[in-house]
Amino acid sequence: FAKTIIPFNMNPLATALLAFSMSADAFAAAIARGASSGKLRTAQVAQIALTFGIVETLTPLIGYGAGIIAAPFIEAFDHWIAFGLLLVLGGKMIRESLSPADEAEADGSAADKQAAMPSKWLLLITAVATSIDSMIVGVSLAFLEVNIWLTALAIGSATTLMAVIGIKLGGVLDSVIGKRAELFGGIVLIGIGTFILLEHLGLMA
């Protein structure tokens, strides 16, 4: 299996950028929660943030496990899969960040609507919904030479931090910052995918 791993260097900066990119959806949902719930107690903020953070830590591990199982069968084009997944995810985040606010409301953003509701089950569903991208990124990471435990922990920690910030700022900044975070996150994902491809093809020094 070792021969199937792409020797792409996930240095601390790349890991941090990936982690905060993956926290963008949770950040947007947390802003919506903060805007709709008013002033929350510290315990409530911690519960919401930790729910997002724990789920975001687990989902890339699940995706990584799935990728490990599939890796031996697709080693000839694994770099294209990693690039394609990150390109699609990055493009999706950029498209959503550029969509008008009224269009987003018309589409009925599940994460935003559920984030505004008090149910613990709906909070968990929101956390899972906003972590699907992290699971898919986990699949991509299975083809890279990375420490998945450290990367997953970084994603979970960044998500917890951004969820706290999102809740606190929700009542003041509404969804504008969330959309900008998604735009930045999408650009970062496409950039990482491009570097993976170029490095594998020998086009990077």
Side-chain angles (χ1 to χ4, degrees), residues 145-196:
E145 192 173 332
V146 300
N147 183 330
I148 185 58
W149 299 103
L150 180 60
T151 303
L153 183 60
I155 293 174
S157 298
T159 299
T160 301
L161 174 61
M162 295 305 289
V164 170
I165 295 175
I167 294 169
K168 293 294 186 181
L169 297 182
V172 179
L173 300 180
D174 203 358
S175 62
V176 176
I177 298 299
K179 284 188 171 294
R180 289 180 179 175
E182 284 188 313
L183 176 61
F184 174 74
I187 292 173
V188 168
L189 289 186
I190 292 176
I192 291 176
T194 300
F195 277 118
I196 291 171

mmCIF file of all heavy atoms in Angstrom, residues 145-196:
data_model
loop_
_atom_site.group_PDB
_atom_site.id
_atom_site.type_symbol
_atom_site.label_atom_id
_atom_site.label_comp_id
_atom_site.label_asym_id
_atom_site.label_seq_id
_atom_site.Cartn_x
_atom_site.Cartn_y
_atom_site.Cartn_z
ATOM 1 N N GLU A 145 0.669 11.535 1.913
ATOM 2 C CA GLU A 145 1.548 11.161 3.020
ATOM 3 C C GLU A 145 1.310 12.143 4.170
ATOM 4 O O GLU A 145 2.071 13.082 4.373
ATOM 5 C CB GLU A 145 3.009 11.213 2.561
ATOM 6 C CG GLU A 145 3.987 10.580 3.535
ATOM 7 C CD GLU A 145 5.393 10.509 2.969
ATOM 8 O OE1 GLU A 145 5.530 10.437 1.733
ATOM 9 O OE2 GLU A 145 6.344 10.541 3.765
ATOM 10 N N VAL A 146 0.243 11.920 4.909
ATOM 11 C CA VAL A 146 -0.139 12.844 5.975
ATOM 12 C C VAL A 146 -0.399 12.077 7.271
ATOM 13 O O VAL A 146 -0.669 10.877 7.264
ATOM 14 C CB VAL A 146 -1.406 13.646 5.608
ATOM 15 C CG1 VAL A 146 -1.189 14.458 4.345
ATOM 16 C CG2 VAL A 146 -2.607 12.722 5.445
ATOM 17 N N ASN A 147 -0.324 12.803 8.367
ATOM 18 C CA ASN A 147 -0.710 12.262 9.668
ATOM 19 C C ASN A 147 -2.195 12.568 9.847
ATOM 20 O O ASN A 147 -2.566 13.676 10.213
ATOM 21 C CB ASN A 147 0.120 12.912 10.782
ATOM 22 C CG ASN A 147 -0.192 12.319 12.153
ATOM 23 O OD1 ASN A 147 -1.303 11.876 12.421
ATOM 24 N ND2 ASN A 147 0.812 12.310 13.017
ATOM 25 N N ILE A 148 -3.054 11.594 9.555
ATOM 26 C CA ILE A 148 -4.490 11.838 9.553
ATOM 27 C C ILE A 148 -5.012 12.200 10.936
ATOM 28 O O ILE A 148 -5.943 12.990 11.069
ATOM 29 C CB ILE A 148 -5.255 10.611 9.001
ATOM 30 C CG1 ILE A 148 -6.750 10.930 8.881
ATOM 31 C CG2 ILE A 148 -5.005 9.391 9.858
ATOM 32 C CD1 ILE A 148 -7.074 12.101 8.004
ATOM 33 N N TRP A 149 -4.401 11.641 11.988
ATOM 34 C CA TRP A 149 -4.857 11.949 13.346
ATOM 35 C C TRP A 149 -4.607 13.415 13.682
ATOM 36 O O TRP A 149 -5.488 14.093 14.230
ATOM 37 C CB TRP A 149 -4.153 11.044 14.358
ATOM 38 C CG TRP A 149 -4.425 9.592 14.127
ATOM 39 C CD1 TRP A 149 -3.597 8.673 13.556
ATOM 40 C CD2 TRP A 149 -5.645 8.897 14.435
ATOM 41 N NE1 TRP A 149 -4.209 7.452 13.483
ATOM 42 C CE2 TRP A 149 -5.460 7.554 14.018
ATOM 43 C CE3 TRP A 149 -6.844 9.270 15.018
ATOM 44 C CZ2 TRP A 149 -6.454 6.591 14.169
ATOM 45 C CZ3 TRP A 149 -7.837 8.303 15.174
ATOM 46 C CH2 TRP A 149 -7.635 6.996 14.757
ATOM 47 N N LEU A 150 -3.421 13.897 13.331
ATOM 48 C CA LEU A 150 -3.093 15.301 13.588
ATOM 49 C C LEU A 150 -3.952 16.215 12.734
ATOM 50 O O LEU A 150 -4.443 17.252 13.198
ATOM 51 C CB LEU A 150 -1.609 15.547 13.298
ATOM 52 C CG LEU A 150 -1.110 16.981 13.517
ATOM 53 C CD1 LEU A 150 -1.313 17.395 14.968
ATOM 54 C CD2 LEU A 150 0.367 17.093 13.129
ATOM 55 N N THR A 151 -4.152 15.833 11.471
ATOM 56 C CA THR A 151 -4.955 16.654 10.563
ATOM 57 C C THR A 151 -6.409 16.716 11.023
ATOM 58 O O THR A 151 -7.023 17.783 11.034
ATOM 59 C CB THR A 151 -4.889 16.087 9.133
ATOM 60 O OG1 THR A 151 -3.517 16.026 8.709
ATOM 61 C CG2 THR A 151 -5.666 16.973 8.168
ATOM 62 N N ALA A 152 -6.966 15.565 11.418
ATOM 63 C CA ALA A 152 -8.352 15.529 11.892
ATOM 64 C C ALA A 152 -8.509 16.359 13.164
ATOM 65 O O ALA A 152 -9.497 17.084 13.333
ATOM 66 C CB ALA A 152 -8.782 14.084 12.148
ATOM 67 N N LEU A 153 -7.530 16.269 14.058
ATOM 68 C CA LEU A 153 -7.579 17.057 15.288
ATOM 69 C C LEU A 153 -7.492 18.546 14.976
ATOM 70 O O LEU A 153 -8.185 19.362 15.607
ATOM 71 C CB LEU A 153 -6.424 16.654 16.216
ATOM 72 C CG LEU A 153 -6.375 17.348 17.573
ATOM 73 C CD1 LEU A 153 -7.650 17.073 18.360
ATOM 74 C CD2 LEU A 153 -5.148 16.887 18.369
ATOM 75 N N ALA A 154 -6.675 18.905 13.990
ATOM 76 C CA ALA A 154 -6.551 20.309 13.595
ATOM 77 C C ALA A 154 -7.872 20.822 13.029
ATOM 78 O O ALA A 154 -8.316 21.941 13.345
ATOM 79 C CB ALA A 154 -5.433 20.466 12.559
ATOM 80 N N ILE A 155 -8.527 20.003 12.204
ATOM 81 C CA ILE A 155 -9.817 20.399 11.634
ATOM 82 C C ILE A 155 -10.859 20.567 12.738
ATOM 83 O O ILE A 155 -11.613 21.548 12.768
ATOM 84 C CB ILE A 155 -10.293 19.352 10.608
ATOM 85 C CG1 ILE A 155 -9.372 19.351 9.383
ATOM 86 C CG2 ILE A 155 -11.737 19.639 10.186
ATOM 87 C CD1 ILE A 155 -9.688 18.255 8.375
ATOM 88 N N GLY A 156 -10.902 19.627 13.671
ATOM 89 C CA GLY A 156 -11.862 19.714 14.768
ATOM 90 C C GLY A 156 -11.614 20.917 15.663
ATOM 91 O O GLY A 156 -12.549 21.597 16.080
ATOM 92 N N SER A 157 -10.346 21.191 15.951
ATOM 93 C CA SER A 157 -9.996 22.321 16.817
ATOM 94 C C SER A 157 -10.338 23.647 16.139
ATOM 95 O O SER A 157 -10.891 24.559 16.768
ATOM 96 C CB SER A 157 -8.496 22.289 17.146
ATOM 97 O OG SER A 157 -8.162 21.108 17.860
ATOM 98 N N ALA A 158 -10.003 23.741 14.843
ATOM 99 C CA ALA A 158 -10.306 24.971 14.101
ATOM 100 C C ALA A 158 -11.808 25.189 14.035
ATOM 101 O O ALA A 158 -12.296 26.321 14.181
ATOM 102 C CB ALA A 158 -9.716 24.891 12.693
ATOM 103 N N THR A 159 -12.572 24.109 13.840
ATOM 104 C CA THR A 159 -14.025 24.217 13.762
ATOM 105 C C THR A 159 -14.613 24.663 15.096
ATOM 106 O O THR A 159 -15.524 25.506 15.136
ATOM 107 C CB THR A 159 -14.642 22.868 13.349
ATOM 108 O OG1 THR A 159 -14.146 22.506 12.056
ATOM 109 C CG2 THR A 159 -16.159 22.953 13.307
ATOM 110 N N THR A 160 -14.106 24.104 16.194
ATOM 111 C CA THR A 160 -14.587 24.502 17.517
ATOM 112 C C THR A 160 -14.343 25.987 17.749
ATOM 113 O O THR A 160 -15.236 26.720 18.196
ATOM 114 C CB THR A 160 -13.875 23.690 18.619
ATOM 115 O OG1 THR A 160 -14.116 22.298 18.415
ATOM 116 C CG2 THR A 160 -14.381 24.093 20.001
ATOM 117 N N LEU A 161 -13.136 26.445 17.439
ATOM 118 C CA LEU A 161 -12.790 27.857 17.611
ATOM 119 C C LEU A 161 -13.673 28.745 16.741
ATOM 120 O O LEU A 161 -14.222 29.752 17.222
ATOM 121 C CB LEU A 161 -11.318 28.073 17.259
ATOM 122 C CG LEU A 161 -10.832 29.524 17.247
ATOM 123 C CD1 LEU A 161 -10.986 30.151 18.627
ATOM 124 C CD2 LEU A 161 -9.383 29.598 16.770
ATOM 125 N N MET A 162 -13.828 28.379 15.466
ATOM 126 C CA MET A 162 -14.613 29.200 14.551
ATOM 127 C C MET A 162 -16.094 29.186 14.914
ATOM 128 O O MET A 162 -16.808 30.170 14.680
ATOM 129 C CB MET A 162 -14.400 28.721 13.121
ATOM 130 C CG MET A 162 -12.973 28.897 12.597
ATOM 131 S SD MET A 162 -12.386 30.612 12.727
ATOM 132 C CE MET A 162 -13.378 31.395 11.460
ATOM 133 N N ALA A 163 -16.567 28.079 15.484
ATOM 134 C CA ALA A 163 -17.966 28.022 15.913
ATOM 135 C C ALA A 163 -18.214 28.988 17.068
ATOM 136 O O ALA A 163 -19.237 29.682 17.102
ATOM 137 C CB ALA A 163 -18.335 26.597 16.323
ATOM 138 N N VAL A 164 -17.275 29.041 18.002
ATOM 139 C CA VAL A 164 -17.401 29.981 19.118
ATOM 140 C C VAL A 164 -17.421 31.414 18.593
ATOM 141 O O VAL A 164 -18.277 32.222 18.977
ATOM 142 C CB VAL A 164 -16.239 29.804 20.117
ATOM 143 C CG1 VAL A 164 -16.248 30.935 21.143
ATOM 144 C CG2 VAL A 164 -16.332 28.460 20.826
ATOM 145 N N ILE A 165 -16.488 31.726 17.709
ATOM 146 C CA ILE A 165 -16.419 33.077 17.138
ATOM 147 C C ILE A 165 -17.692 33.385 16.357
ATOM 148 O O ILE A 165 -18.257 34.479 16.457
ATOM 149 C CB ILE A 165 -15.187 33.208 16.224
ATOM 150 C CG1 ILE A 165 -13.904 33.075 17.049
ATOM 151 C CG2 ILE A 165 -15.206 34.561 15.496
ATOM 152 C CD1 ILE A 165 -12.639 33.064 16.216
ATOM 153 N N GLY A 166 -18.171 32.401 15.574
ATOM 154 C CA GLY A 166 -19.376 32.611 14.782
ATOM 155 C C GLY A 166 -20.594 32.898 15.636
ATOM 156 O O GLY A 166 -21.387 33.789 15.323
ATOM 157 N N ILE A 167 -20.750 32.149 16.729
ATOM 158 C CA ILE A 167 -21.894 32.369 17.622
ATOM 159 C C ILE A 167 -21.827 33.754 18.241
ATOM 160 O O ILE A 167 -22.831 34.475 18.315
ATOM 161 C CB ILE A 167 -21.925 31.293 18.725
ATOM 162 C CG1 ILE A 167 -22.208 29.920 18.113
ATOM 163 C CG2 ILE A 167 -22.983 31.624 19.773
ATOM 164 C CD1 ILE A 167 -22.001 28.762 19.066
ATOM 165 N N LYS A 168 -20.624 34.134 18.701
ATOM 166 C CA LYS A 168 -20.468 35.428 19.353
ATOM 167 C C LYS A 168 -20.726 36.586 18.385
ATOM 168 O O LYS A 168 -21.279 37.623 18.762
ATOM 169 C CB LYS A 168 -19.051 35.546 19.924
ATOM 170 C CG LYS A 168 -18.758 34.594 21.077
ATOM 171 C CD LYS A 168 -19.607 34.926 22.291
ATOM 172 C CE LYS A 168 -19.215 34.068 23.493
ATOM 173 N NZ LYS A 168 -20.061 34.378 24.684
ATOM 174 N N LEU A 169 -20.315 36.411 17.128
ATOM 175 C CA LEU A 169 -20.448 37.497 16.163
ATOM 176 C C LEU A 169 -21.756 37.448 15.384
ATOM 177 O O LEU A 169 -22.082 38.385 14.655
ATOM 178 C CB LEU A 169 -19.283 37.446 15.168
ATOM 179 C CG LEU A 169 -17.876 37.659 15.733
ATOM 180 C CD1 LEU A 169 -16.857 37.622 14.604
ATOM 181 C CD2 LEU A 169 -17.790 38.990 16.473
ATOM 182 N N GLY A 170 -22.499 36.357 15.542
ATOM 183 C CA GLY A 170 -23.705 36.156 14.758
ATOM 184 C C GLY A 170 -24.703 37.295 14.810
ATOM 185 O O GLY A 170 -25.237 37.708 13.782
ATOM 186 N N GLY A 171 -24.950 37.800 16.005
ATOM 187 C CA GLY A 171 -25.934 38.863 16.139
ATOM 188 C C GLY A 171 -25.497 40.185 15.548
ATOM 189 O O GLY A 171 -26.327 41.058 15.280
ATOM 190 N N VAL A 172 -24.191 40.334 15.301
ATOM 191 C CA VAL A 172 -23.668 41.608 14.807
ATOM 192 C C VAL A 172 -23.350 41.562 13.316
ATOM 193 O O VAL A 172 -23.695 42.467 12.563
ATOM 194 C CB VAL A 172 -22.385 42.000 15.581
ATOM 195 C CG1 VAL A 172 -21.818 43.309 15.046
ATOM 196 C CG2 VAL A 172 -22.686 42.096 17.067
ATOM 197 N N LEU A 173 -22.716 40.484 12.884
ATOM 198 C CA LEU A 173 -22.195 40.426 11.520
ATOM 199 C C LEU A 173 -23.076 39.642 10.552
ATOM 200 O O LEU A 173 -22.802 39.623 9.358
ATOM 201 C CB LEU A 173 -20.794 39.813 11.543
ATOM 202 C CG LEU A 173 -19.773 40.579 12.382
ATOM 203 C CD1 LEU A 173 -18.432 39.870 12.335
ATOM 204 C CD2 LEU A 173 -19.624 42.012 11.871
ATOM 205 N N ASP A 174 -24.104 38.963 11.081
ATOM 206 C CA ASP A 174 -25.010 38.174 10.257
ATOM 207 C C ASP A 174 -24.234 37.181 9.402
ATOM 208 O O ASP A 174 -23.257 36.607 9.851
ATOM 209 C CB ASP A 174 -25.868 39.102 9.406
ATOM 210 C CG ASP A 174 -27.163 38.435 8.965
ATOM 211 O OD1 ASP A 174 -27.357 37.262 9.294
ATOM 212 O OD2 ASP A 174 -27.966 39.105 8.314
ATOM 213 N N SER A 175 -24.627 36.989 8.125
ATOM 214 C CA SER A 175 -24.028 35.921 7.315
ATOM 215 C C SER A 175 -22.934 36.395 6.371
ATOM 216 O O SER A 175 -22.377 35.607 5.621
ATOM 217 C CB SER A 175 -25.122 35.246 6.481
ATOM 218 O OG SER A 175 -25.703 36.184 5.601
ATOM 219 N N VAL A 176 -22.595 37.685 6.384
ATOM 220 C CA VAL A 176 -21.608 38.209 5.437
ATOM 221 C C VAL A 176 -20.249 37.559 5.636
ATOM 222 O O VAL A 176 -19.593 37.105 4.703
ATOM 223 C CB VAL A 176 -21.486 39.738 5.576
ATOM 224 C CG1 VAL A 176 -20.393 40.264 4.656
ATOM 225 C CG2 VAL A 176 -22.823 40.385 5.232
ATOM 226 N N ILE A 177 -19.796 37.494 6.890
ATOM 227 C CA ILE A 177 -18.493 36.915 7.174
ATOM 228 C C ILE A 177 -18.475 35.434 6.811
ATOM 229 O O ILE A 177 -17.478 34.920 6.294
ATOM 230 C CB ILE A 177 -18.136 37.092 8.668
ATOM 231 C CG1 ILE A 177 -18.046 38.582 9.001
ATOM 232 C CG2 ILE A 177 -16.818 36.417 8.986
ATOM 233 C CD1 ILE A 177 -16.987 39.330 8.223
ATOM 234 N N GLY A 178 -19.583 34.760 7.063
ATOM 235 C CA GLY A 178 -19.648 33.342 6.743
ATOM 236 C C GLY A 178 -19.420 33.090 5.268
ATOM 237 O O GLY A 178 -18.701 32.177 4.874
ATOM 238 N N LYS A 179 -20.020 33.897 4.414
ATOM 239 C CA LYS A 179 -19.847 33.719 2.982
ATOM 240 C C LYS A 179 -18.415 34.014 2.558
ATOM 241 O O LYS A 179 -17.872 33.354 1.680
ATOM 242 C CB LYS A 179 -20.830 34.619 2.221
ATOM 243 C CG LYS A 179 -22.263 34.089 2.221
ATOM 244 C CD LYS A 179 -23.153 34.892 1.316
ATOM 245 C CE LYS A 179 -24.506 34.221 1.169
ATOM 246 N NZ LYS A 179 -24.423 32.931 0.472
ATOM 247 N N ARG A 180 -17.792 35.005 3.173
ATOM 248 C CA ARG A 180 -16.402 35.305 2.844
ATOM 249 C C ARG A 180 -15.492 34.159 3.278
ATOM 250 O O ARG A 180 -14.510 33.851 2.608
ATOM 251 C CB ARG A 180 -15.974 36.612 3.516
ATOM 252 C CG ARG A 180 -16.626 37.838 2.905
ATOM 253 C CD ARG A 180 -16.188 39.111 3.588
ATOM 254 N NE ARG A 180 -16.795 40.277 2.980
ATOM 255 C CZ ARG A 180 -16.652 41.516 3.443
ATOM 256 N NH1 ARG A 180 -15.931 41.737 4.528
ATOM 257 N NH2 ARG A 180 -17.231 42.527 2.821
ATOM 258 N N ALA A 181 -15.833 33.540 4.402
ATOM 259 C CA ALA A 181 -15.041 32.400 4.874
ATOM 260 C C ALA A 181 -15.150 31.249 3.882
ATOM 261 O O ALA A 181 -14.168 30.559 3.597
ATOM 262 C CB ALA A 181 -15.525 31.961 6.256
ATOM 263 N N GLU A 182 -16.350 31.033 3.345
ATOM 264 C CA GLU A 182 -16.538 29.968 2.358
ATOM 265 C C GLU A 182 -15.741 30.249 1.092
ATOM 266 O O GLU A 182 -15.168 29.341 0.490
ATOM 267 C CB GLU A 182 -18.022 29.815 2.023
ATOM 268 C CG GLU A 182 -18.823 29.098 3.091
ATOM 269 C CD GLU A 182 -20.225 28.793 2.632
ATOM 270 O OE1 GLU A 182 -20.871 29.697 2.089
ATOM 271 O OE2 GLU A 182 -20.675 27.653 2.807
ATOM 272 N N LEU A 183 -15.709 31.512 0.665
ATOM 273 C CA LEU A 183 -14.940 31.885 -0.526
ATOM 274 C C LEU A 183 -13.463 31.583 -0.324
ATOM 275 O O LEU A 183 -12.812 30.962 -1.175
ATOM 276 C CB LEU A 183 -15.138 33.376 -0.824
ATOM 277 C CG LEU A 183 -14.314 33.942 -1.992
ATOM 278 C CD1 LEU A 183 -14.671 33.242 -3.296
ATOM 279 C CD2 LEU A 183 -14.543 35.454 -2.115
ATOM 280 N N PHE A 184 -12.922 32.007 0.813
ATOM 281 C CA PHE A 184 -11.514 31.755 1.125
ATOM 282 C C PHE A 184 -11.241 30.259 1.203
ATOM 283 O O PHE A 184 -10.254 29.755 0.654
ATOM 284 C CB PHE A 184 -11.155 32.425 2.453
ATOM 285 C CG PHE A 184 -9.767 32.107 2.940
ATOM 286 C CD1 PHE A 184 -8.656 32.678 2.345
ATOM 287 C CD2 PHE A 184 -9.575 31.218 3.991
ATOM 288 C CE1 PHE A 184 -7.375 32.368 2.794
ATOM 289 C CE2 PHE A 184 -8.309 30.907 4.443
ATOM 290 C CZ PHE A 184 -7.206 31.495 3.839
ATOM 291 N N GLY A 185 -12.135 29.533 1.874
ATOM 292 C CA GLY A 185 -11.960 28.095 2.023
ATOM 293 C C GLY A 185 -11.956 27.382 0.682
ATOM 294 O O GLY A 185 -11.156 26.467 0.450
ATOM 295 N N GLY A 186 -12.845 27.789 -0.220
ATOM 296 C CA GLY A 186 -12.894 27.178 -1.543
ATOM 297 C C GLY A 186 -11.625 27.395 -2.329
ATOM 298 O O GLY A 186 -11.112 26.482 -2.991
ATOM 299 N N ILE A 187 -11.086 28.613 -2.266
ATOM 300 C CA ILE A 187 -9.838 28.931 -2.965
ATOM 301 C C ILE A 187 -8.690 28.094 -2.423
ATOM 302 O O ILE A 187 -7.858 27.572 -3.171
ATOM 303 C CB ILE A 187 -9.522 30.434 -2.832
ATOM 304 C CG1 ILE A 187 -10.562 31.254 -3.609
ATOM 305 C CG2 ILE A 187 -8.114 30.734 -3.358
ATOM 306 C CD1 ILE A 187 -10.443 32.745 -3.399
ATOM 307 N N VAL A 188 -8.640 27.947 -1.089
ATOM 308 C CA VAL A 188 -7.568 27.164 -0.465
ATOM 309 C C VAL A 188 -7.645 25.701 -0.907
ATOM 310 O O VAL A 188 -6.625 25.082 -1.242
ATOM 311 C CB VAL A 188 -7.647 27.258 1.069
ATOM 312 C CG1 VAL A 188 -6.738 26.221 1.721
ATOM 313 C CG2 VAL A 188 -7.250 28.651 1.521
ATOM 314 N N LEU A 189 -8.852 25.108 -0.939
ATOM 315 C CA LEU A 189 -8.995 23.716 -1.327
ATOM 316 C C LEU A 189 -8.541 23.489 -2.777
ATOM 317 O O LEU A 189 -7.844 22.514 -3.077
ATOM 318 C CB LEU A 189 -10.448 23.263 -1.172
ATOM 319 C CG LEU A 189 -10.966 23.103 0.259
ATOM 320 C CD1 LEU A 189 -12.367 22.512 0.232
ATOM 321 C CD2 LEU A 189 -10.051 22.231 1.082
ATOM 322 N N ILE A 190 -8.922 24.387 -3.662
ATOM 323 C CA ILE A 190 -8.495 24.263 -5.059
ATOM 324 C C ILE A 190 -6.979 24.402 -5.164
ATOM 325 O O ILE A 190 -6.324 23.682 -5.921
ATOM 326 C CB ILE A 190 -9.198 25.325 -5.934
ATOM 327 C CG1 ILE A 190 -10.689 25.017 -6.022
ATOM 328 C CG2 ILE A 190 -8.576 25.360 -7.332
ATOM 329 C CD1 ILE A 190 -11.497 26.062 -6.774
ATOM 330 N N GLY A 191 -6.419 25.312 -4.366
ATOM 331 C CA GLY A 191 -4.967 25.488 -4.372
ATOM 332 C C GLY A 191 -4.230 24.245 -3.909
ATOM 333 O O GLY A 191 -3.247 23.822 -4.526
ATOM 334 N N ILE A 192 -4.710 23.633 -2.829
ATOM 335 C CA ILE A 192 -4.076 22.415 -2.317
ATOM 336 C C ILE A 192 -4.187 21.284 -3.344
ATOM 337 O O ILE A 192 -3.214 20.562 -3.606
ATOM 338 C CB ILE A 192 -4.715 21.987 -0.984
ATOM 339 C CG1 ILE A 192 -4.362 22.999 0.120
ATOM 340 C CG2 ILE A 192 -4.253 20.584 -0.579
ATOM 341 C CD1 ILE A 192 -5.035 22.719 1.448
ATOM 342 N N GLY A 193 -5.352 21.139 -3.948
ATOM 343 C CA GLY A 193 -5.534 20.112 -4.958
ATOM 344 C C GLY A 193 -4.617 20.309 -6.149
ATOM 345 O O GLY A 193 -4.052 19.348 -6.691
ATOM 346 N N THR A 194 -4.435 21.560 -6.552
ATOM 347 C CA THR A 194 -3.554 21.871 -7.680
ATOM 348 C C THR A 194 -2.106 21.538 -7.350
ATOM 349 O O THR A 194 -1.378 20.956 -8.167
ATOM 350 C CB THR A 194 -3.668 23.364 -8.055
ATOM 351 O OG1 THR A 194 -5.032 23.652 -8.414
ATOM 352 C CG2 THR A 194 -2.758 23.696 -9.238
ATOM 353 N N PHE A 195 -1.664 21.884 -6.141
ATOM 354 C CA PHE A 195 -0.297 21.567 -5.724
ATOM 355 C C PHE A 195 -0.060 20.062 -5.684
ATOM 356 O O PHE A 195 1.008 19.579 -6.067
ATOM 357 C CB PHE A 195 0.005 22.189 -4.358
ATOM 358 C CG PHE A 195 0.408 23.634 -4.431
ATOM 359 C CD1 PHE A 195 -0.360 24.609 -3.820
ATOM 360 C CD2 PHE A 195 1.550 24.022 -5.115
ATOM 361 C CE1 PHE A 195 0.006 25.954 -3.894
ATOM 362 C CE2 PHE A 195 1.926 25.357 -5.193
ATOM 363 C CZ PHE A 195 1.146 26.323 -4.587
ATOM 364 N N ILE A 196 -1.060 19.307 -5.218
ATOM 365 C CA ILE A 196 -0.941 17.851 -5.171
ATOM 366 C C ILE A 196 -0.715 17.299 -6.578
ATOM 367 O O ILE A 196 0.181 16.484 -6.815
ATOM 368 C CB ILE A 196 -2.207 17.222 -4.555
ATOM 369 C CG1 ILE A 196 -2.302 17.542 -3.064
ATOM 370 C CG2 ILE A 196 -2.237 15.710 -4.775
ATOM 371 C CD1 ILE A 196 -3.618 17.139 -2.443
#
